[in-house]
């Protein structure tokens, strides 16, 4: 279940007053609150409520708040869900998510965003953890996309697309590896965020020609329904892997598979052998700054989960990790990291802000430790 909270003064259903929709719990990735929370009341009369998406249907309820209770407590699940009313039917389906992903890839191929429709009024475009203008720069370049891989998350209404590019549309060198999460609002499928990690020459272990070679050998095919891992299992595996830099016990929590191959930049740990392993090069220093501000896209049908995050121990480097599980075990890992040593300086003050708070640059432990 996914919800967003709204609060507004002097609500009158008969008058048709609007409300401030606010954000879904957890920045678009969370679940409804399951415990009491406080709301500070500022004016004499407020109404508030929740809209929740459950099983493809949007439910809502409204409750009143007054200045007599400046720290009004309310319970969502225990007291309200039994009284919610159907409001509308959402249609956050795979076909719609993949259709916009197709249009997004076409924008890279044509060098224009003119055909990207249904962008929300508060739409944001974030590139390498920095908010930027939508249209100029990377998206103004017509690229020859040599490899494309997309997963869709019908629960969180999002998609992730991996692109590998070696040349532009005119045949000139244009090396990029791009990992993009697109987030939609389930009530109308409008896109409120395009969030991408873009690597090119100078990025960690970068060589898009080699990355293309290795990625083309892999199979990320549909998994039979009875053999699929749960969303929870995928999330636990991804988090355990990304926790290895800051928690030694996380190594044992990763569901290591055999064979398993990691594509780290352009370096591959696999050779096609049944004994291939993703363990070579994993962190040996487990007291480093954490990999924080994780944003997830999960596709159970393809056993895949995408995580965009910040590698604090590499001076807040933007990072993308995508994982594939088969039969509960790690099979593939793809990484994109914007760091070429241990020192990736933060942007100067005043240069676009990320949609999540950026931690102060601080390295703990060995900043040159190997990573995967």
């Amino acid at each position: 279940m996914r919800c967003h909270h709204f609060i507004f003064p002097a609500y009158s259903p008969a008058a048709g007053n609007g409300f401030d929709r606010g954000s879904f719990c957890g920045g678009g990735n969370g679940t409804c609150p399951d415990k009491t929370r406080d709301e500070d009341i500022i004016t004499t009369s407020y109404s508030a409520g929740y809209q929740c998406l459950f099983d493809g249907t949007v439910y809502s309820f409204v409750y009143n708040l007054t200045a007599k209770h400046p720290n009004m407590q309310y319970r969502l699940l225990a007291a309200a869900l039994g009284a919610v009313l159907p409001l509308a039917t959402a249609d956050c389906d795979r076909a719609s998510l993949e259709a916009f992903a197709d249009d997004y890839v076409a924008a890279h191929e044509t060098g224009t965003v003119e055909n990207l429709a249904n962008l929300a009024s508060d739409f944001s475009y974030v590139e390498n953890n920095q908010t930027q203008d939508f249209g100029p720069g990377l998206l103004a370049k017509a690229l020859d996309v040599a490899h494309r891989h997309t997963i869709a998350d019908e629960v969180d209404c999002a998609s992730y697309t991996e692109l590998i590019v070696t040349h532009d549309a005119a045949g000139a060198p244009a090396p990029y590896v791009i990992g993009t999460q697109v987030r939609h609002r389930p009530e109308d499928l409008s896109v409120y965020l395009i969030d991408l990690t873009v690597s090119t020459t100078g990025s960690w272990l970068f060589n898009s020609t080699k990355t293309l070679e290795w990625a083309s050998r892999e199979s990320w095919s549909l998994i039979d329904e009875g053999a699929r891992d749960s969303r929870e299992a995928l999330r636990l595996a991804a988090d355990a892997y990304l926790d290895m830099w800051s928690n030694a016990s996380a190594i044992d929590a990763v569901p290591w598979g055999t064979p398993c191959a990691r594509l780290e930049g352009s370096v591959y740990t696999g050779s096609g052998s049944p004994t291939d392993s993703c363990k070579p090069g994993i962190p040996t220093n487990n007291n480093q700054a954490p990999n924080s501000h994780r944003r997830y896209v999960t596709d159970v049908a393809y056993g895949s989960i995408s995580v965009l995050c910040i590698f604090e121990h590499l001076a807040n480097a933007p990072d993308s990790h995508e994982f594939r599980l088969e039969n509960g075990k790690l099979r593939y890992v793809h990484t994109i990291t914007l760091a070429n040593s241990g020192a990736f300086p933060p942007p100067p003050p005043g240069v676009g802000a990320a949609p999540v708070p950026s931690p102060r640059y601080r390295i703990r432990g060995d900043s040159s430790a190997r990573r995967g």
Side-chain angles (χ1 to χ4, degrees):
M1 178 176 291
R2 288 160 40 76
C3 301
H4 67 255
H5 174 250
F6 54 86
I7 183 167
F8 46 90
Y11 177 75
S12 171
N17 289 2
F19 57 84
D20 180 6
R21 289 184 176 274
S23 300
F24 276 93
C25 309
N29 295 315
T31 58
C32 295
D34 59 1
K35 61 183 180 180
T36 302
R37 62 176 283 184
D38 295 334
E39 187 68 54
D40 292 327
I41 308 307
I42 302 172
T43 64
T44 57
S45 179
Y46 263 88
S47 289
Y50 275 91
Q51 285 189 332
C52 298
L53 176 65
F54 179 72
D55 241 4
T57 300
V58 177
Y59 296 91
S60 70
F61 70 90
V62 175
Y63 53 88
N64 293 320
L65 308 173
T66 69
K68 294 180 181 179
H69 303 284
N71 292 297
M72 186 72 171
Q73 294 185 328
Y74 53 89
R75 295 182 182 275
L76 174 60
L77 296 182
L81 289 182
V84 296
L85 300 175
L87 185 70
T89 299
D91 190 26
C92 190
D93 60 291
R94 180 178 296 274
S96 298
L97 298 174
E98 290 179 346
F100 187 89
D102 290 343
D103 292 341
Y104 165 75
V105 175
H108 280 293
E109 293 174 326
T110 60
T112 177
V113 298
E114 292 180 357
N115 293 323
L116 287 179
N118 199 23
L119 301 181
S121 59
D122 58 347
F123 167 77
S124 295
Y125 174 76
V126 176
E127 187 176 307
N128 294 334
N129 291 338
Q130 299 297 317
T131 302
Q132 299 190 9
D133 292 337
F134 187 55
L138 179 67
L139 283 165
K141 301 176 182 180
L143 303 174
D144 180 8
V145 175
H147 166 90
R148 177 263 179 98
H149 156 74
T150 294
I151 61 174
D153 187 335
E154 296 175 89
V155 175
D156 281 346
C157 213
S159 68
Y160 171 78
T161 297
E162 175 190 74
L163 301 177
I164 303 175
V165 179
T166 59
H167 294 81
D168 65 17
Y176 295 101
V177 178
I178 304 167
T180 302
Q181 292 182 353
V182 178
R183 301 197 176 276
H184 303 251
R185 291 205 166 90
E187 60 267 28
D188 59 5
L189 287 180
S190 62
V191 174
Y192 66 88
L193 177 64
I194 295 179
D195 185 2
L196 59 158
T197 299
V198 184
S199 64
T200 189
T201 303
S203 299
W204 183 267
L205 303 177
F206 183 86
N207 183 323
S208 63
T209 300
K210 294 297 293 183
T211 302
L212 175 63
E213 177 185 343
W214 296 122
S216 299
R217 299 183 183 188
E218 298 177 345
S219 173
W220 293 58
S221 59
L222 187 70
I223 294 176
D224 291 340
E225 190 167 353
R228 294 172 184 173
D229 291 296
S230 67
R231 291 178 64 86
E232 292 76 17
L234 290 166
R235 174 72 173 263
L236 287 171
D239 280 340
Y241 190 101
L242 291 170
D243 286 345
M244 290 190 298
W245 283 259
S246 56
N247 182 356
S249 65
I251 296 174
D252 293 331
V254 176
W256 302 105
T258 305
C260 181
R262 184 177 76 247
L263 180 54
E264 183 175 343
S266 62
V267 175
Y268 203 54
T269 66
S271 63
S273 165
T275 60
D276 283 346
S277 174
C278 287
K279 287 187 174 181
I282 64 172
T284 55
N285 177 358
N286 311 111
N287 296 305
Q288 302 177 72
N291 302 322
S292 62
H293 300 91
R294 301 175 191 178
R295 293 95 76 194
Y296 305 84
V297 173
T298 307
D299 189 337
V300 170
Y302 286 85
S304 302
I305 181 168
S306 154
V307 188
L308 301 186
C309 63
I310 295 174
F311 264 54
E312 291 187 29
H313 69 285
L314 290 181
N316 297 338
D319 177 86
S320 168
H321 270 64
E322 186 183 11
F323 305 89
R324 162 127 168 155
L325 264 65
E326 296 179 1
N327 298 313
K329 300 296 184 180
L330 199 60
R331 180 64 183 91
Y332 295 119
V333 181
H334 283 194
T335 83
I336 306 170
T337 308
L338 268 72
N340 55 16
S341 63
F344 187 86
V351 175
V356 292
S358 295
R360 285 185 175 273
Y361 167 46
R362 181 165 65 116
I363 291 180
R364 289 182 287 188
D366 179 8
S367 65
S368 63
R370 293 180 297 177
R371 57 164 314 281

